[in-house]
Amino acid sequence: MKPLKKYNVVPNLPITLEPLRKLAYNLRFSWRGEIRDIFRRIDPGLWTECRHNPVLMLGLVSQERLVELSKDQGFMALLERVSQDFDRYLSRPRIQSLDYLPAKGFKVAYFSAEFGLAGCLPIYSGGLGILSGDHLKSSSDLNIPLVGVGLLYQEGYFSQYLSNDGWQMERYPVNDFNNMPVTLVRDPEGKPITVSVEFKGEKVDILIWRANVGRVPLYLLDTNTPLNSPEISRTTAQLYGGDREMRIRQEIVLGIGGIRALKVLGIDPTVIHMNEGHSAFSALERINIYRRENGLTFDEARELVIATTVFTTHTPVPAGNDVFDPGLIRTYFEEYAKELGINFRVLLGYGKLDPRNEEEKFGMSTLALRLSSHANGVSRLHGRVSRAMWQKVWPRHPVEDIPIDYVTNGIHVPTWIASEKSALFDRYLGPDWAEDPDNKRVWAQIENIPDTEIWRYHERCRDHLVAFARKLLADQMKRRGSTPTEVMGVNDVLTPDAMTIGFARRFATYKRATLLFKNPDRLAKILNNPECPVQIIIAGKAHPQDNEGKEFIKTILHYSSEERFRKRIVFLEDYNSHIAHVMVSGTDVWLNTPRRPLEACGTSGMKALANGSLNLSVLDGWWDEGFKSDYGWAIGKGEEYEDFFAQDNIESRDLYNLLEKEVIPLFYRRGSDELPRGWIEKMKAGLHDLVPVFNSHRMVQEYTDRFYLPCSARYDRLSKNGFTETKTLASWRQKVMTGWGSVSVIEVRSGDSRDIPIGESLEITARITLGELSTDDVTVEVYFGRLDHKGDFVDRETKELLPAGLDNGVHLFKGFIECLGTGRFGYTVRIVPSKKRLENPFVMGLVAWA
């Protein structure tokens, strides 16, 4: 039986408690401890039971308790102060958005398939989602004019539980959006605002929900509406669930539906930031809109879209880059290609490394790369890996010149600092440290914190972690049917004063969660040393279809059940952001063992760092940039292996050696005051030097300065006067593409001497043919640098050569190389399309080498 009508019941708050509603419906509570304290004070037990969901809590707290609170002067004074601080945050930002781009203004639309903002909004699976959430939080703090676009999953990502033999099982709890910090977007008449896309000719209606992330709105798309068939309704049921057809449907909703949602909401972004390739169809829909509404051709609209699109790739692992069979693309996009005004084969070519290869699959990352002016990896090493991985998109360029840069990820520090340590920082760094976490002057004050105090606060967090882990372990055992006696034995597991290692992440096989167990006998001796005991807390999920990752979990569970490990190793089920918070704040050592160079960044180590934990990690991702012996330890020296078996043996031995000879002795080396002074010195050095760098404020500011503002300025120029410059640019591009076959370097001349004294200059003259093109259409550069023993460039620089007239119809270009270092150097000359006309001259894929 279905109901005739539906209605929502909402909390009946006394008028004086109405500020609680606005606090509950803004996710700033996820990084502002004072707001969480307000809700905890209402009913601590209910707050825990509701999993820190203030919206759900307000619906469950009794009316009598609400009336009682409205008469509690202490509570009301606290609520008034927190509410005023919240209003100040929203209405009086420290930075005005016009300060970024005066007179022009800009608006960024940030697309991501997942957003990890708070545990009570479970629409994320791991690092990508947490990064997206932190990006929005820092954008709010920095007052970047940004909106987020994502999907609202009815079942979200799975909850994990383990069978009696340690095998991961999955359940998908249904999200009740009416009891979550999201609201349905409605028109002035109260009707839900919808947009639609098509699946194989069938209309798909999409609801739009809004979550407030401080000052930043996040719009989440939802197909679960009676307007759709049951099959279509399930499109946004599960994050990364279903088959390839379900995945392409989700990405159509995110990319095409997301752009249409912005349109119906009246939001006209000047920049689109595609966080991973899942949203790459957004570029096609923008082209579609510019064609339909502004009368541009496909080529003209493409120029505008490329110039104003940023793409961030997050994984060097092939499984993380979605590809689809050409036949599936044809099913969903053959008619859409006609709307775009292009042949379907042309559309298919945009998603292929080799557009002429009929068998190659259509790649979302490839599509995103071809339709973006700025692309980046998420660490320096990942940028290098990505350039090699995607070189075939630009086959005429050496790998060093592939236009994929890097912006190293960061964490939203106020979100991830433990409340105990946040209070400590308030006292010594000043009450505003959380709004200025990328300021080196702020973190320089770490030296003012007495060693005794910082260690006492850290030990308090470890105590909390041990108690927390015991409770979770007891709950796990009860669910598996353990006896009361067995459950009571949990109190013997872990000790608050033992050195504690944390390992928590997605159980992808390349992360090598079992490397620590390579030699279990040696590990047992390390953990059970009576004078220097060590314990390990592990958590993480494997993808439901990753049986090898599930085997890793099973292996660890079996080891942890052995008597020699039972009190020293704990695996916590159903890893989530709350468990992550407690673990990163309470561990002494954060362990990371990826197979270099497959860890794109690895931000969990940054979260531990910000809480004073020391990193013990392979030199991969961010640790390849951040490592110095002052802050922690490196496993290996950055080697990359072809023989994985040998690699695991070598690096596991290195890990054991580090633990036995350096890490554990330093932790237990105490003076008469029982303080590990050497350990504390490393803690402070990491906080002082690394936290102001590896945080999302720095990351978002870098995206803004390097990508958002230049793209917005270019949008302003290209969209003026009926898109005149856009049309001119498209015509020029066609001219260059057509005429490039006649472009060549005939001859390059330089001084006669092969031995040039340091400090002098080498004159370069290049003779160039341009055919129908002019000198304004190209940029000619000398490409030079130091050489290795094989004659290959070790490093390289470029310097523009300037036109110097004609010689019998041949163009002359001249310039100088300054010889500032001694050694063996070399140079060549190249021609690329004009850098003055293009945001990124490499996007056309054209180059002529001497």
Side-chain angles (χ1 to χ4, degrees):
M1 177 65 68
K2 294 288 186 181
L4 178 65
K5 296 281 188 180
K6 297 179 182 179
Y7 57 92
N8 295 326
V9 178
V10 297
N12 183 18
L13 296 177
I15 189 66
T16 53
L17 294 182
E18 195 59 36
L20 287 172
R21 199 185 307 273
K22 69 180 180 184
L23 294 174
Y25 276 93
N26 192 302
L27 284 145
R28 191 168 188 249
F29 68 75
S30 67
W31 75 92
R32 191 69 178 174
E34 283 187 335
I35 300 176
R36 294 194 299 276
D37 289 342
I38 281 278
F39 291 102
R40 187 181 293 109
R41 184 164 171 174
I42 293 173
D43 187 331
L46 187 58
W47 176 245
T48 301
E49 183 183 327
C50 292
R51 297 195 169 203
H52 308 158
N53 180 346
V55 175
L56 177 60
M57 183 177 184
L58 289 182
L60 294 178
V61 68
S62 70
Q63 204 64 38
E64 292 78 11
R65 177 58 175 158
L66 291 174
V67 173
E68 180 185 334
L69 288 168
S70 69
K71 298 176 181 178
D72 184 330
Q73 292 184 356
F75 181 84
M76 292 307 300
L78 177 61
L79 177 59
E80 182 180 8
R81 180 170 62 81
V82 172
S83 179
Q84 287 177 352
D85 176 74
F86 177 77
D87 291 339
R88 176 204 61 79
Y89 177 84
L90 293 184
S91 61
R92 297 195 299 277
R94 295 185 305 126
I95 305 168
Q96 299 301 314
S97 58
L98 284 177
D99 293 342
Y100 291 108
L101 200 65
K104 294 186 178 67
F106 75 107
K107 174 74 76 175
V108 182
Y110 182 87
F111 283 69
S112 183
E114 49 176 303
F115 286 92
L117 292 155
C120 62
L121 190 59
I123 55 171
Y124 64 96
S125 69
L128 175 66
I130 297 296
L131 184 279
S132 301
D134 284 2
H135 194 111
L136 265 55
K137 292 174 182 179
S138 280
S139 296
S140 172
D141 289 343
L142 295 169
N143 200 26
I144 303 292
L146 180 145
V147 300
V149 180
L151 300 179
L152 188 60
Y153 302 97
Q154 188 70 58
E155 299 169 11
Y157 203 52
F158 68 91
S159 290
Q160 176 198 58
Y161 68 100
L162 302 176
S163 67
N164 287 329
D165 69 345
W167 189 254
Q168 174 183 290
M169 309 292 285
E170 298 89 27
R171 64 167 70 94
Y172 290 86
V174 175
N175 289 325
D176 180 3
F177 302 152
N178 294 307
N179 281 314
M180 294 166 64
V182 295
T183 53
L184 192 59
V185 179
R186 300 177 183 273
D187 64 18
E189 298 177 357
K191 297 178 181 177
I193 294 175
T194 63
V195 293
S196 65
V197 296
E198 286 193 354
F199 293 167
K200 299 187 285 190
E202 180 180 351
K203 182 185 177 187
V204 179
D205 287 287
I206 303 169
L207 297 171
I208 306 170
W209 297 77
R210 173 171 171 153
N212 295 310
V213 187
R215 302 182 182 104
V216 169
L218 168 61
Y219 295 102
L220 299 165
L221 309 179
D222 170 24
T223 60
N224 186 27
T225 166
L227 297 171
N228 296 323
S229 66
E231 180 188 358
I232 296 301
S233 292
R234 286 196 57 78
T235 299
T236 56
Q238 295 177 359
L239 171 60
Y240 304 142
D243 56 13
R244 302 311 298 165
E245 186 159 8
M246 180 62 78
R247 181 65 66 86
I248 198 172
R249 287 179 172 183
Q250 288 186 343
E251 295 182 354
I252 289 170
V253 171
L254 176 61
I256 297 176
I259 292 295
R260 292 178 181 176
L262 293 175
K263 188 73 179 173
V264 78
L265 294 171
I267 298 170
D268 185 17
T270 58
V271 186
I272 297 291
H273 186 166
M274 300 185 297
N275 193 44
E276 220 15 301
H278 307 116
S279 57
F281 292 140
S282 63
L284 297 178
E285 179 60 15
R286 290 181 75 205
I287 291 173
N288 196 17
I289 289 176
Y290 287 130
R291 275 177 44 77
R292 186 173 63 247
E293 298 186 0
N294 302 105
L296 301 182
T297 66
F298 177 88
D299 289 345
E300 291 165 348
R302 181 195 58 205
E303 293 304 322
L304 182 57
V305 168
I306 288 175
T308 57
T309 301
V310 178
F311 168 54
T312 299
T313 175
H314 280 266
T315 175
V317 181
N321 294 276
D322 283 343
V323 295
F324 300 104
D325 287 328
L328 186 60
I329 296 292
R330 180 180 291 278
T331 301
Y332 281 86
F333 282 90
E334 190 163 28
E335 291 301 313
Y336 189 79
K338 296 175 183 176
E339 287 185 45
L340 293 171
I342 57 175
N343 184 282
F344 173 73
R345 288 182 177 272
V346 174
L347 186 151
L348 208 56
Y350 277 95
K352 294 185 175 185
L353 298 175
D354 180 3
R356 294 166 294 184
N357 184 347
E358 297 285 338
E359 303 301 318
E360 185 183 338
K361 292 186 176 182
F362 182 95
M364 296 297 285
S365 295
T366 308
L367 176 65
L369 287 167
R370 292 195 187 280
L371 293 176
S372 305
S373 59
H374 296 289
N376 68 279
V378 291
S379 69
R380 181 177 60 198
L381 180 58
H382 182 230
R384 189 199 81 189
V385 172
S386 297
R387 286 190 288 275
M389 186 173 181
W390 300 109
Q391 184 179 13
K392 290 182 179 178
V393 178
W394 299 273
R396 302 178 186 180
H397 291 278
V399 66
E400 297 83 7
D401 293 337
I402 297 304
I404 301 177
D405 208 332
Y406 75 92
V407 176
T408 301
N409 282 344
I411 62 161
H412 187 253
V413 176
T415 292
W416 295 102
I417 292 282
S419 57
E420 296 91 340
K421 290 169 183 173
S422 180
L424 179 67
F425 292 164
D426 284 345
R427 285 171 43 212
Y428 287 96
L429 308 187
D432 296 330
W433 69 269
E435 293 190 32
D436 209 11
D438 56 339
N439 189 326
K440 292 184 178 181
R441 290 193 302 274
V442 169
W443 293 99
Q445 297 174 89
I446 283 291
E447 302 303 329
N448 297 333
I449 305 177
D451 287 359
T452 305
E453 202 157 350
I454 199 170
W455 189 247
R456 185 170 69 245
Y457 274 80
H458 182 71
E459 288 192 309
R460 192 177 301 168
C461 288
R462 192 191 316 117
D463 289 347
H464 176 56
L465 171 59
V466 169
F468 177 81
R470 285 173 176 171
K471 183 180 184 307
L472 289 189
L473 189 58
D475 292 342
Q476 291 171 199
M477 295 178 70
K478 290 175 185 176
R479 285 195 297 271
R480 291 185 208 147
S482 298
T483 66
T485 302
E486 289 171 330
V487 174
M488 283 291 292
V490 165
N491 293 323
D492 296 330
V493 172
L494 307 178
T495 54
D497 56 351
M499 191 187 91
T500 304
I501 298 173
F503 182 98
R505 54 196 20 89
R506 191 165 48 88
F507 264 63
T509 52
Y510 74 86
K511 294 178 183 283
R512 297 190 298 175
T514 56
L515 187 70
L516 189 62
F517 298 87
K518 192 74 176 174
N519 186 335
D521 293 335
R522 188 173 178 184
L523 178 63
K525 290 180 181 178
I526 292 172
L527 301 188
N528 293 304
N529 184 327
E531 296 181 2
C532 304
V534 178
Q535 57 200 13
I536 306 168
I537 300 176
I538 303 171
K541 298 177 178 179
H543 188 280
Q545 297 171 10
D546 182 4
N547 287 332
E548 200 172 351
K550 291 181 179 182
E551 285 288 354
F552 278 16
I553 294 175
K554 185 176 179 179
T555 297
I556 292 172
L557 258 292
H558 283 193
Y559 277 124
S560 67
S561 66
E562 292 182 15
E563 186 58 33
R564 57 179 175 170
F565 292 125
R566 187 183 65 82
K567 297 180 181 181
R568 294 296 179 203
I569 299 175
V570 168
F571 186 95
L572 303 181
E573 287 182 16
D574 202 21
Y575 183 51
N576 56 34
S577 61
H578 181 53
I579 293 175
H581 270 96
V582 181
M583 285 188 65
V584 297
S585 65
T587 50
D588 301 296
V589 177
W590 196 255
L591 179 64
N592 191 21
T593 53
R595 196 179 299 285
R596 176 184 164 115
L598 299 181
E599 181 84 282
C601 188
T603 54
S604 64
M606 301 178 192
K607 300 177 183 86
L609 164 76
N611 281 282
S613 184
L614 304 186
N615 276 267
L616 170 58
S617 174
V618 171
L619 288 172
D620 201 2
W622 80 280
W623 194 234
D624 186 60
E625 297 170 50
F627 168 71
K628 191 178 174 185
S629 59
D630 295 0
Y631 317 130
W633 297 271
I635 300 169
K637 294 181 171 58
E639 301 89 349
E640 295 176 20
Y641 296 79
E642 293 184 4
D643 185 338
F644 292 166
F645 181 79
Q647 179 181 11
D648 291 351
N649 280 324
I650 293 168
E651 293 185 343
S652 64
R653 287 198 297 269
D654 195 20
L655 172 56
Y656 294 137
N657 288 336
L658 284 168
L659 287 170
E660 291 168 339
K661 298 177 182 178
E662 297 187 35
V663 182
I664 298 170
L666 184 66
F667 182 85
Y668 283 104
R669 190 176 300 136
R670 311 291 172 98
S672 58
D673 56 6
E674 287 299 310
L675 291 179
R677 297 281 182 179
W679 192 274
I680 295 170
E681 184 179 345
K682 283 183 180 288
M683 289 172 62
K684 285 187 172 182
L687 291 166
H688 180 286
D689 294 352
L690 298 185
V691 175
V693 176
F694 295 102
N695 70 78
S696 55
H697 274 45
R698 184 273 311 156
M699 175 189 76
V700 169
Q701 193 66 63
E702 198 170 338
Y703 275 115
T704 300
D705 295 340
R706 292 173 52 194
F707 301 154
Y708 297 166
L709 293 180
C711 282
S712 292
R714 195 156 181 82
Y715 176 86
D716 182 67
R717 292 196 305 272
L718 292 174
S719 60
K720 280 181 177 177
N721 303 318
F723 299 91
T724 299
E725 191 170 331
T726 295
K727 296 172 183 177
T728 301
L729 180 61
S731 296
W732 173 81
R733 179 179 179 130
Q734 186 60 42
K735 169 190 170 185
V736 172
M737 294 291 288
T738 303
W740 197 258
S742 301
V743 173
S744 66
V745 181
I746 299 175
E747 181 187 14
V748 178
R749 296 198 300 261
S750 61
D752 294 334
S753 175
R754 294 174 60 88
D755 297 320
I756 304 166
I758 189 170
E760 293 193 6
S761 298
L762 180 66
E763 183 179 24
I764 306 294
T765 301
R767 293 165 56 81
I768 307 293
T769 61
L770 296 177
E772 298 297 318
L773 303 184
S774 72
T775 56
D776 290 334
D777 296 326
V778 300
T779 295
V780 180
E781 297 173 318
V782 58
Y783 183 104
F784 64 99
R786 190 181 299 274
L787 304 179
D788 63 15
H789 67 284
K790 297 178 182 178
D792 296 325
F793 284 108
V794 176
D795 50 48
R796 79 278 184 274
E797 298 178 57
T798 59
K799 187 173 182 181
E800 187 174 354
L801 301 180
L802 300 177
L806 285 167
D807 179 14
N808 295 322
V810 175
H811 294 275
L812 302 180
F813 284 78
K814 291 188 177 183
F816 295 88
I817 299 174
E818 294 183 2
C819 301
L820 301 178
T822 60
R824 191 181 184 208
F825 293 81
Y827 74 88
T828 186
V829 169
R830 72 177 178 192
I831 312 170
V832 295
S834 173
K835 289 187 173 182
K836 295 175 183 177
R837 289 181 177 265
L838 292 170
E839 186 83 11
N840 182 343
F842 299 100
V843 295
M844 292 177 65
L846 301 176
V847 63
W849 293 92

